[in-house]
Amino acid sequence: MTVLADPSAPLGLWVLQSHSGVQLQDAGRFGGAGAGLTQGGAVDLTAARLANALVGNHNHVGSTCPAVIEITLGAVAFRAEQPVLVALTGAAMPLLVNSQPVQRYRTLLLQPGDLLEIGYSRAGARAYLAVAGGFPAPTICGSVSTVLREKVGGPDGQGKAICAGTLLSCAAWQRPDPQISLPYQQHYRHQSIRAIPMIAGAQLEDLDPQLPQLLTQRLFRVTARSDRMGMQLGGEPLPVTAQQLYSEGICLGAMQLPPNGLPIVMLNDHQTIGGYPKTGALTRGGCECLGQLMTGNFVRFYWLDLADAVLQERQRLVLLQQQLDAVAADWQQWLSSRMLSQGALSQHSQAGADADE
Amino acid sequence: MHGQMVSPGIPVRLRIHSEQALLLDLTALAPQGPGPDLMQVMQNLRMQLPLLLGDALLELVPSYTSVLIIFDVLKIDHSEIWQKIVTAQTALFRPDLQASTFKTIELPCYYSLESGPDLQQVATLHQLSITELIQLHSGQAYQVYAIGFAPGFAYLGFTDPRISTPRLANPRPAVAAGSVAIADRQTAVYPAASPGGWHLLGNCPTPLFDLTADPMLPFAVGDTVRFVPIERAEFLRLGGQL
């Protein structure tokens, strides 16, 4: 990968306004579950990857993703201390530079002193801010993902959210704005009632026989008790019959049914083991959709065969890779056009020098 | 049966967890519940599964009677993994186990009222003297059955039935790092200060969990742990805090 930005620059973004839902995230932490570490990572990894691609941080599905700032619900402000190339993707949050509205899903060149404000989300729970060259941070198991509960990850590795009054170091951008953007068809599109597929788990057989039907007939409301650990769903309680004896490993997307009958879908910061019965699980893509829902939004579930789920997930990733490749191609084109024009300039001056002799 | 895979002759079941996760259910290997024999199989799986699955494997989460396998859906799928497991079943489930290859970790523990505020209460509950309670708790080798709840928190089992103790009615808002605790027939060391609902018997002065170390924990699921009673002076010499 070409290093386009200067990572040695000591300055970056001054954080003026922030909260605990503003965190450094990447593709997540793997290899630490044996010690009890959760996977973490961007809830909407698709949006995080696209944000990186836009600012020229090339990344591929199925591998690592440079660190981005995950912004939950909005209400964040930064001041640039050096020229920085940024892009915002994901939830529809008002984006302003020096109080002027600017577009999401495209590169923005901030100059020193520029004020970048992200307002309350109009639609969607999470947006992603990427910076050309990324954010340097210590890694644990190859990831900088912030997990507040575990005191792991983040800018200083201590598991802290991005705090107001701190300087977030990032690379400086010494070139013009390449004006790379994504067509609106590829922007996050919010639906306040969402249908999400679910894969049946083996434990479903041991639970109430009505459960498979009830789960697909009912509409579930996203409650305020949802966070990066899990989405707590509300509605009429479901029948709970079985209790499991031994705790077992839990995966992203698992739907747990605690004794109160209100399902919880595990998101990125889920505990690694647990003993509640599980009805099944959402796919990774389904978790990205669910994780974008806001309090008061609704979700309904439909059953999806395992083979179809694997196929859908693979197709989703292939499509995302095509989008990432298309942005990378735009970048390549911009870089070569600049090299050409610079090349023409230097040839021109060379010719001038010849003439002088 | 929906959501799982079985093959004739193979003693475990595979349960579907998600499009990128499956669970090896080992309960058939341990009809009496998890014990040292099952934990030997668990250790073997912990070593063998990464070799079997290579870079398609993202994460392994062993716990009591199961191992959760999280994998890269672009590289492998459930039936391919099941096929590999069925093919390698002899090596996986009937390993030539040698006790000497398995790790036993000794953890120093200062049992006292100043480091274990529930020591007297638990002794009284079971009509034991404090010395008898300490002997029963430290006289036994424990298996690491699961790690979770918090980074580095290991569920060790099982304690002598004579000291089986329910959880606190009112969990403490803060438990000191290193606290050695019991709940039901399990025991654990709190790796960091945290809220906690287990009864506290003592404190282990050796820091167990270190994010920057490799491995982060001196033990893993399947290993054996013993508590060694130490005196106050030794506790302080080892860096214990009161």
Side-chain angles (χ1 to χ4, degrees):
Chain A
M1 176 187 147
T2 332
V3 177
L4 298 169
D6 176 11
S8 65
L11 300 171
L13 290 171
W14 189 254
V15 187
L16 301 178
Q17 185 192 357
S18 189
H19 52 86
S20 63
V22 183
Q23 302 174 359
L24 220 50
Q25 294 295 346
D26 57 19
R29 185 170 285 118
F30 296 94
L37 294 178
T38 191
Q39 88 177 65
V43 171
D44 188 346
L45 186 55
T46 300
R49 289 198 183 282
L50 288 173
N52 271 311
L54 280 169
V55 296
N57 301 340
H58 298 314
N59 68 111
H60 301 276
V61 299
S63 87
T64 56
C65 168
V68 293
I69 303 177
E70 180 175 275
I71 299 163
T72 311
L73 299 175
V76 196
F78 302 97
R79 189 178 67 221
E81 298 295 304
Q82 64 188 9
V84 189
L85 188 72
V86 303
L88 186 77
T89 62
M93 298 182 187
L95 180 64
L96 302 103
V97 173
N98 299 327
S99 305
Q100 293 303 308
V102 291
Q103 287 177 3
R104 296 152 53 237
Y105 282 94
R106 59 148 294 162
T107 52
L108 288 172
L109 179 58
L110 303 178
Q111 295 299 341
D114 277 356
L115 177 65
L116 180 76
E117 289 174 284
I118 298 165
Y120 280 107
S121 179
R122 289 189 298 256
R126 292 173 169 94
Y128 295 86
L129 185 75
V131 164
F135 298 97
T139 59
I140 299 290
C141 294
S143 167
V144 306
S145 287
T146 311
V147 183
L148 301 182
R149 184 181 80 250
E150 293 179 348
K151 300 185 171 67
V152 174
D156 65 355
Q158 306 292 307
K160 292 193 202 75
I162 289 165
C163 312
T166 58
L167 185 70
L168 199 57
S169 61
C170 60
W173 183 257
Q174 309 291 6
R175 302 174 184 211
D177 184 347
Q179 305 191 359
I180 308 279
S181 65
L182 268 174
Y184 80 94
Q185 294 90 334
Q186 292 174 24
H187 296 194
Y188 171 71
R189 257 181 302 173
H190 193 68
Q191 289 169 279
S192 53
I193 302 177
R194 188 116 212 179
I196 296 179
M198 185 154 58
I199 305 157
Q203 283 172 334
L204 192 60
E205 304 257 326
D206 309 328
L207 301 173
D208 192 288
Q210 282 191 301
L211 211 49
Q213 218 182 346
L214 288 175
L215 273 165
T216 54
Q217 278 173 347
R218 289 194 184 161
L219 209 52
F220 295 91
R221 185 173 41 84
V222 173
T223 71
R225 292 187 62 198
S226 299
D227 56 19
R228 285 183 46 89
M229 260 184 100
M231 298 290 277
Q232 176 102 58
L233 304 178
E236 200 185 324
L238 295 164
V240 187
T241 45
Q243 271 300 338
Q244 198 186 305
L245 195 57
Y246 294 109
S247 286
E248 60 183 33
I250 308 179
C251 65
L252 176 75
M255 179 186 273
Q256 286 193 330
L257 204 54
N260 68 7
L262 296 175
I264 304 171
V265 179
M266 298 291 109
L267 283 194
N268 300 58
D269 291 359
H270 63 84
Q271 64 270 36
T272 54
I273 56 172
Y276 289 141
K278 292 177 281 291
T279 63
L282 274 57
T283 60
R284 170 82 228 209
C287 289
E288 293 189 359
C289 289
L290 185 70
Q292 281 290 16
L293 294 186
M294 306 166 86
T295 302
N297 286 169
F298 288 93
V299 55
R300 69 172 187 84
F301 298 103
Y302 61 94
W303 295 112
L304 186 67
D305 274 357
L306 179 66
D308 290 338
V310 170
L311 188 67
Q312 266 192 20
E313 190 61 14
R314 286 177 174 170
Q315 285 171 342
R316 185 182 74 81
L317 293 171
V318 167
L319 184 69
L320 174 59
Q321 187 59 54
Q322 286 167 0
Q323 294 176 354
L324 295 171
D325 289 345
V327 179
D330 289 348
W331 264 97
Q332 208 48 55
Q333 198 180 1
W334 181 76
L335 285 171
S336 43
S337 71
R338 273 183 59 77
M339 276 194 290
L340 275 178
S341 60
Q342 278 172 350
L345 272 176
S346 64
Q347 270 181 14
H348 181 74
S349 54
Q350 187 67 43
D354 286 346
D356 281 344
E357 277 178 6
Chain B
M1 207 179 180
H2 204 62
Q4 54 179 292
M5 298 182 184
V6 288
S7 294
I10 186 160
V12 303
R13 295 185 304 165
L14 178 152
R15 293 189 349 223
I16 306 306
H17 265 223
S18 80
E19 91 286 4
Q20 54 171 3
L22 55 85
L23 185 116
L24 270 185
D25 181 344
L26 309 174
T27 41
L29 294 175
Q32 309 299 320
D37 292 349
L38 185 65
M39 287 305 109
Q40 292 207 338
V41 175
M42 194 73 97
Q43 285 203 325
N44 193 52
L45 289 173
R46 240 179 49 222
M47 287 181 273
Q48 301 285 336
L49 286 173
L51 304 175
L52 192 67
L53 301 176
D55 68 349
L57 179 69
L58 291 180
E59 196 65 277
L60 275 185
V61 192
S63 176
Y64 295 98
T65 57
S66 66
V67 182
L68 180 70
I69 298 172
I70 300 174
F71 56 90
D72 185 341
V73 72
L74 291 173
K75 296 200 173 103
I76 205 164
D77 68 17
H78 304 71
S79 0
E80 288 163 348
I81 292 178
W82 185 233
Q83 211 43 61
K84 279 178 186 281
I85 287 172
V86 170
T87 307
Q89 57 171 301
T90 311
L92 291 177
F93 306 110
R94 295 185 206 102
D96 181 20
L97 299 168
Q98 295 186 341
S100 61
T101 60
F102 298 118
K103 234 183 348 185
T104 298
I105 294 98
E106 293 197 336
L107 298 178
C109 179
Y110 173 43
Y111 296 92
S112 73
L113 292 172
E114 58 180 341
S115 57
D118 300 323
L119 198 58
Q120 182 64 63
Q121 195 196 329
V122 174
T124 310
L125 176 74
H126 299 296
Q127 296 172 320
L128 298 166
S129 69
I130 285 184
T131 313
E132 287 168 330
L133 171 60
I134 295 172
Q135 277 170 356
L136 286 175
H137 186 262
S138 63
Q140 197 154 330
Y142 299 108
Q143 254 67 50
V144 181
Y145 282 112
I147 293 170
F149 164 65
F153 189 96
Y155 293 83
L156 310 172
F158 290 101
T159 61
D160 189 294
R162 282 170 289 177
I163 61 169
S164 175
T165 308
R167 285 171 173 76
L168 291 169
N170 297 306
R172 285 186 170 85
V175 168
S179 292
V180 175
I182 57 172
D184 301 325
R185 287 193 58 201
Q186 301 195 79
T187 182
V189 183
Y190 282 89
S194 77
W198 294 27
H199 284 88
L200 311 181
L201 303 186
N203 193 288
C204 167
T206 324
L208 294 185
F209 180 65
D210 181 358
L211 271 176
T212 58
D214 186 23
M216 296 179 199
L217 270 174
F219 45 71
V221 170
D223 287 338
T224 303
V225 171
R226 279 180 174 279
F227 290 100
V228 181
I230 55 166
E231 296 301 320
R232 191 176 200 271
E234 176 73 353
F235 174 73
L236 295 173
R237 197 184 61 76
L238 290 170
Q241 303 279 320
L242 289 171

